[in-house]
Amino acid sequence: MAPGGRAALGAPHAVDIDADAIAWAADHLPWARFQVGPTWPPLPYPDGYFDLVVNHSVFSHLDARYQDAWLQELRRVTRPGAYLLLSFHGDHAFDRMCESTEAVGGNAEPHRHSRAASGILFFEDDLW
């Protein structure tokens, strides 16, 4: 038991589709568990396995279909009352993209309209 009578935390788990990044992390961060994960659910964990999931800007790179599937999967692998910390590109990145588009003579209005209509803007071939 950890001080204060609480159970000690287990080793963090990390999953990514990038095999090179996982190999580097496994070689340099021996205190965590790493594995290459799937691009589509399920994850190799049982229901309710995690108390905390941290996801750094992954959802910024997924279309709505993938986001919905992964949100359902994160619900499955977290226990009731668990925390999900999910970050994504937001207003600042969107405003910079529009400014950059217009600075080179492009029209960002269709992007603004699409985002306002659906709440999400996804580029199939993001060259920005």
Side-chain angles (χ1 to χ4, degrees):
M1 290 293 247
R6 295 176 303 178
L9 295 175
H13 292 251
V15 178
D16 198 291
I17 63 170
D18 184 336
D20 291 336
I22 290 295
W24 183 93
D27 287 345
H28 292 87
L29 306 169
W31 44 267
R33 298 176 187 166
F34 298 92
Q35 64 182 315
V36 176
T39 58
W40 189 260
L43 290 168
Y45 300 105
D47 295 356
Y49 190 73
F50 294 106
D51 293 320
L52 170 68
V53 172
V54 178
N55 176 298
H56 178 69
S57 198
V58 172
F59 282 78
S60 299
H61 305 283
L62 304 177
D63 67 18
R65 186 174 134 251
Y66 272 80
Q67 287 182 17
D68 290 345
W70 280 108
L71 286 171
Q72 288 178 338
E73 179 63 359
L74 293 178
R75 175 182 285 160
R76 182 188 71 78
V77 299
T78 53
R79 69 164 177 78
Y83 290 93
L84 295 176
L85 301 176
L86 312 176
S87 71
F88 53 90
H89 294 308
D91 292 338
H92 177 73
F94 178 74
D95 292 342
R96 286 198 52 210
M97 184 276 306
C98 289
E99 291 166 6
S100 297
T101 298
E102 292 166 342
V104 296
N107 180 8
E109 198 54 37
H111 304 312
R112 288 186 182 97
H113 177 74
S114 177
R115 183 174 182 235
S118 69
I120 187 171
L121 178 64
F122 181 76
F123 292 93
E124 281 293 324
D125 191 13
D126 182 9
L127 300 176
W128 178 62

